[in-house]
Amino acid sequence: MNRLSDETLAHLRDVTERPELPGDRYEIHERLGRGGMGTVWRATDRELARDVAIKVMTLPAASARERSRLQREAHILARLEHPGIVPIHDIGELADGRLWYAMKLVRGEALDRAVETVPALPARLRLFLRLCETVEFAHVQGVIHRDLKPANVMVGPFGEVLVMDWGVAKVLGELEDGEPGADPPSRSAETPGGEVTDSTSPGTILGTPGWMAPEQAAGRAHTVDPRADVFGLGRILHALVGPEPPRRLAAIVARAEAGRPEDRYGSAAELAADIDRFLSGTAVSAYREGALEKLGRLVERHRVAILLLLAYVAMRSLLFLWGDR
Amino acid sequence: MLEAVRATDPEIRQRALERLAAAYWRPVYTYLRLHWREPEEDARDLAQGFFVALIERDLAARWDPSRARFRTWVRTCLDSFVADERRAAGRRKRGGGTVHVPLEAEGIEDELAGVIAPPAEDADALFRREWIRGLFLGSVRALRDELRATGRETRLRLFERYDLADEADRPTYARLATEESLDVAKVGNELYAARARLRALVLERLRECTTDEEEYRAEARELFGSDGP
């Protein structure tokens, strides 16, 4: 055989990647997406008669350590029961050693695409608040995402916001490779897009360039705290508000994406609270207002009441003048 | 294999380089034809000359794994080699060197018959696509030999009829089942077994063409985890 056309080659690549799950519970359909570590497929769960998403690792785990790390993501998802986090249903291993897990099928769009149809700033900020709530929930559960970016946030058809891809999340209190007391480190896996989505050896960069916190980019991924996710949220907020946001909002963005962790909000909840204040027209903690700005904001916030008051005063004045005649 | 390419023992290095030439013959030849637009005979001469240079000038010893994947390095070397050759006055006939590479240009020429102009893609993508094609082609041949040797002719026929056919000619499982007097589930199982073995053979070859576990896994992720060329 001397020939293998482009079409046949593409078919062979597809069928040799397509997983064959044990038993007949799941029927695999089309590929939904690919990441650095694996591919996500749409599948039908025949037992429960519903569609699910199945993530299958590209290769068998190279070591017991890597296997446990891949299983970690599934365990983290199982641990985080929240409407903003995709629930996991099942986990297993293919005959050739590749690990897989089944999760809820999310129908929607990545945040950056979803907001294209949401031009109003307040509506965008309300989506962002839902994202903050989910990240805060994970932090309270002791989990830091470490790879927050629009591509990892899905917006469903009813405006539900889901945080995806917890593959490089850190569980606070758990030792990772490279930390004192942990096993020797393993190697990293770099995706074609330049993002590193696995491995935790010291000095290894985890996350996505442009979205990860400076302390992560400096290779100190295992020492980060929730403020690394606050930075990621700040970058997302930056993208959502556009190039010329109002000053108070720009100050919130600047504090969230500050270079030094100590200059950022201490938590996603604090960031959300400031966004909430901005939306309700009250003073935000990230911005010190001058007297005129404060007056302007109060006028803006109470515009209707002030207009009614002015109308009332004007009418009384007219009546007073009319009565004097 | 690639560690052996850099071995100090000349015999080990020589054998490794000959295997290397066999593994890279196809992408090198196609790249010369499509990217450098070399005519058939010149492309064959240049490919032969490139592998001879790789061995005789000990070029492989200069490869630094920390700077590039081996595949990328080979392509870069090939570009330099062709540029040098074009600068040189007159082209010598090559092929008298110490390397024996399989000359399967006729088969490749059949494929290139429909490609009139070089495709508008970057050089690395073109080289990579042909490298992947070579990996699969060699693995399909190995699978065929293996299935014949173990008497699994039915599995081989099903695989060839279904997975090696162009989409327009691909029969349904039901039709294959009728043709082979099997039930449809059996057809699916046989195809699954053939594909699983093919995947294993591709990965075995990939491991041979990469330097270490890290490069192997990175290449495998791109091979099975991307839609790229």
Side-chain angles (χ1 to χ4, degrees):
Chain A
M1 175 184 193
N2 289 324
R3 294 195 64 194
L4 211 51
S5 68
D6 286 351
E7 187 188 318
T8 307
L9 180 61
H11 171 77
L12 287 176
R13 285 176 75 182
D14 180 69
V15 295
T16 48
E17 186 199 1
R18 188 170 282 271
E20 188 79 15
L21 268 57
D24 58 1
R25 178 171 177 178
Y26 297 105
E27 183 185 357
I28 299 285
H29 304 298
E30 76 275 13
R31 188 186 296 111
L32 295 174
R34 283 168 159 148
M37 297 299 293
T39 301
V40 180
W41 302 82
R42 184 176 72 82
T44 299
D45 178 350
R46 293 189 181 106
E47 215 167 87
L48 296 173
R50 63 179 176 184
D51 276 0
V52 295
I54 293 188
K55 183 170 182 176
V56 183
M57 300 308 154
T58 307
L59 289 171
S63 63
R65 188 177 303 110
E66 187 176 318
R67 171 185 298 272
S68 70
R69 200 161 57 240
L70 297 175
Q71 287 168 328
R72 240 182 89 246
E73 182 182 7
H75 293 155
I76 286 172
L77 285 174
R79 171 178 174 169
L80 298 174
E81 283 188 63
H82 185 275
I85 295 169
V86 182
I88 190 160
H89 302 315
D90 200 358
I91 184 167
E93 185 175 345
L94 302 182
D96 63 10
R98 285 181 285 164
L99 295 168
W100 61 271
Y101 59 80
M103 56 190 159
K104 177 185 173 183
L105 177 65
V106 177
R107 298 180 194 276
E109 287 182 310
L111 182 64
D112 45 356
R113 293 201 59 190
V115 295
E116 286 173 8
T117 56
V118 184
L121 182 61
R124 288 182 173 210
L125 293 178
R126 279 191 282 277
L127 281 179
F128 181 74
L129 281 177
R130 272 175 240 152
L131 169 61
C132 288
E133 282 167 20
T134 303
V135 174
E136 176 66 15
F137 170 81
H139 290 172
V140 170
Q141 302 298 313
V143 178
I144 304 169
H145 188 283
R146 293 197 291 197
D147 196 18
L148 290 173
K149 56 184 175 182
N152 282 344
V153 179
M154 295 286 286
V155 180
F158 302 105
E160 63 271 36
V161 176
L162 292 121
V163 182
M164 316 290 290
D165 205 343
W166 296 77
V168 298
K170 174 184 170 63
V171 179
L172 292 171
E174 262 184 21
L175 282 180
E176 292 185 302
D177 293 349
E179 285 191 73
D183 291 334
S186 55
R187 289 179 153 176
S188 61
E190 189 170 343
T191 68
E195 65 203 75
V196 181
T197 54
D198 188 29
S199 173
T200 44
S201 57
T204 296
I205 298 166
L206 282 178
T208 304
W211 300 98
M212 73 179 111
E215 62 270 27
Q216 257 177 266
R220 301 194 301 274
H222 61 279
T223 65
V224 300
D225 63 19
R227 290 172 296 181
D229 279 351
V230 170
F231 182 92
L233 288 171
R235 298 295 294 160
I236 292 172
L237 182 61
H238 193 138
L240 288 180
V241 301
E244 290 180 357
R247 278 186 196 172
R248 292 183 307 132
L249 188 52
I252 294 174
V253 173
R255 182 186 278 188
E257 59 179 9
R260 299 191 312 165
E262 56 270 32
D263 294 335
R264 292 176 211 147
Y265 292 97
S267 67
E270 284 181 26
L271 168 58
D274 242 5
I275 294 290
D276 208 27
R277 286 186 205 105
F278 173 81
L279 281 170
S280 59
T282 54
V284 301
S285 71
Y287 187 68
R288 188 183 295 250
E289 296 172 314
L292 275 176
E293 281 178 310
K294 190 170 185 177
L295 182 64
R297 178 174 54 76
L298 286 172
V299 167
E300 179 66 23
R301 185 182 177 200
H302 302 292
R303 187 170 45 186
V304 175
I306 289 169
L307 283 174
L308 283 173
L309 185 66
L310 286 174
Y312 174 76
V313 170
M315 191 174 288
R316 290 290 300 199
S317 303
L318 282 172
L319 284 173
F320 179 75
L321 290 171
W322 187 264
D324 270 2
R325 281 194 169 186
Chain B
M1 174 173 76
L2 295 185
E3 280 306 301
V5 164
R6 305 168 81 227
T8 47
D9 183 328
E11 269 189 39
I12 294 175
R13 198 166 68 237
Q14 174 74 13
R15 277 201 302 275
L17 281 165
E18 286 178 5
R19 284 164 64 205
L20 175 79
Y24 275 87
W25 162 256
R26 181 189 178 83
V28 163
Y29 177 81
T30 312
Y31 184 75
L32 289 168
R33 291 282 284 118
L34 294 182
H35 180 73
W36 285 96
R37 304 179 190 216
E38 291 287 348
E40 186 177 339
E41 193 174 338
D42 288 353
R44 195 191 305 243
D45 281 352
L46 276 167
Q48 190 78 15
F50 173 67
F51 289 114
V52 170
L54 209 61
I55 294 169
E56 292 183 344
R57 297 186 209 164
D58 219 8
L59 287 178
R62 298 180 203 166
W63 163 58
D64 178 358
S66 68
R67 296 186 61 183
R69 289 186 189 171
F70 190 76
R71 167 172 52 80
T72 308
W73 179 85
V74 168
R75 204 256 310 155
T76 312
C77 266
L78 180 59
D79 283 339
S80 304
F81 177 78
V82 176
D84 287 349
E85 288 293 301
R86 284 186 169 186
R87 272 196 294 271
R91 187 167 287 156
R92 303 177 303 279
K93 275 286 177 191
R94 302 168 196 87
T98 53
V99 188
H100 232 27
V101 292
L103 297 177
E104 52 179 33
E106 291 77 12
I108 303 176
E109 283 303 322
D110 288 347
E111 291 173 39
L112 297 180
V115 184
I116 297 161
E121 59 185 326
D122 71 69
D124 202 48
L126 168 61
F127 192 78
R128 182 170 179 271
R129 187 190 67 196
E130 293 311 314
W131 178 73
I132 291 173
R133 200 192 306 274
L135 267 181
F136 270 88
L137 195 55
S139 303
V140 167
R141 284 178 185 146
L143 176 67
R144 175 178 285 153
D145 292 346
E146 198 175 287
L147 292 178
R148 279 188 182 136
T150 52
R152 294 190 172 96
E153 297 288 345
T154 306
R155 184 174 298 174
L156 176 59
R157 275 196 306 278
L158 291 171
F159 174 72
E160 288 182 331
R161 289 273 286 120
Y162 193 88
D163 282 334
L164 297 186
D166 281 339
E167 195 169 348
D169 304 325
R170 192 165 293 140
T172 60
Y173 278 22
R175 186 170 152 199
L176 285 174
T178 307
E179 285 176 8
E180 294 287 345
S181 305
L182 299 169
D183 62 49
V184 174
K186 177 76 173 164
V187 170
N189 289 342
E190 289 292 322
L191 281 173
Y192 164 67
R195 293 163 183 171
R197 185 61 193 140
L198 177 64
R199 178 185 166 92
L201 288 165
V202 168
L203 289 173
E204 277 173 25
R205 280 163 186 270
L206 182 64
R207 194 177 281 283
E208 283 234 310
C209 296
T210 47
T211 52
D212 58 14
E213 183 70 14
E214 184 179 15
E215 187 176 345
Y216 162 72
R217 296 181 79 79
E219 290 281 18
R221 284 193 176 98
E222 283 186 39
L223 186 62
F224 290 115
S226 77
D227 289 317

